[in-house]
Amino acid sequence: MQNGEVYYYHHLVDYYADVAKNGAEAVKWAYKDLQIRENFATQAALAWALYRDGRFSEAVHWIDRALASGVVDALLDFRAGEIHSAAANEVEGHHLRELALGLNPTVGRFHVHH
C-alpha cells in the first residue's frame, strides 16, 4: 500500500470486534491484514475476530498459531484463554487466563490500543 493504509486494518479489526461487536466485519478486515503481513499479532487479531463471529474452532487454530510464536503477551494469553474456553477447551482456557493474569493482573479489565 502506497499511502500506508495497511496500518489501519488492525484498527478496523479492533473496532469491529470490540466496539461495534460485528464479528463478520472484524473477520473481513483481519483477513485483509493477514494477507499483507502475517505474524503473531495478525494471527491473534484474526482469532479474536473469528471468536467474536462465533467461529470458535477456526479461532482456536489461529490463536494457537499466534501462541506458537513464543511471544510473551498478557492480552494474547488472556484472549487465547477466552477462545479455548468458548471452544469447550475449558482446562486450556483456564490455564491460559491464569498465565495472562500472572503477567498482568488487570489484563481482562480493558484494552487500550497503541
Side-chain angles (χ1 to χ4, degrees):
M1 299 285 179
Q2 294 177 357
N3 297 321
E5 298 90 39
V6 67
Y7 298 113
Y8 296 101
Y9 288 166
H10 67 277
H11 294 293
L12 290 170
V13 177
D14 289 345
Y15 172 77
Y16 284 110
D18 294 324
V19 177
K21 306 286 190 207
N22 183 336
E25 194 68 14
V27 169
K28 176 181 112 176
W29 292 107
Y31 272 119
K32 286 183 180 287
D33 200 17
L34 188 79
Q35 289 173 350
I36 303 295
R37 57 187 181 108
E38 185 170 342
N39 58 42
F40 82 90
T42 57
Q43 293 163 347
L46 176 57
W48 192 245
L50 290 163
Y51 165 82
R52 290 294 197 196
D53 199 34
R55 296 160 59 181
F56 304 132
S57 63
E58 291 173 82
V60 166
H61 167 79
W62 285 103
I63 203 67
D64 285 350
R65 286 186 65 174
L67 290 169
S69 73
V71 71
V72 176
D73 182 274
L75 184 60
L76 174 65
D77 291 339
F78 190 82
R79 287 185 170 179
E82 295 294 302
I83 290 167
H84 272 276
S85 291
N89 304 328
E90 190 54 49
V91 172
E92 182 66 8
H94 178 75
H95 167 73
L96 287 161
R97 282 190 305 275
E98 289 297 313
L99 184 62
L101 292 169
L103 293 170
N104 178 353
T106 64
V107 69
R109 295 189 189 147
F110 67 94
H111 171 65
V112 175
H113 193 83
H114 49 86

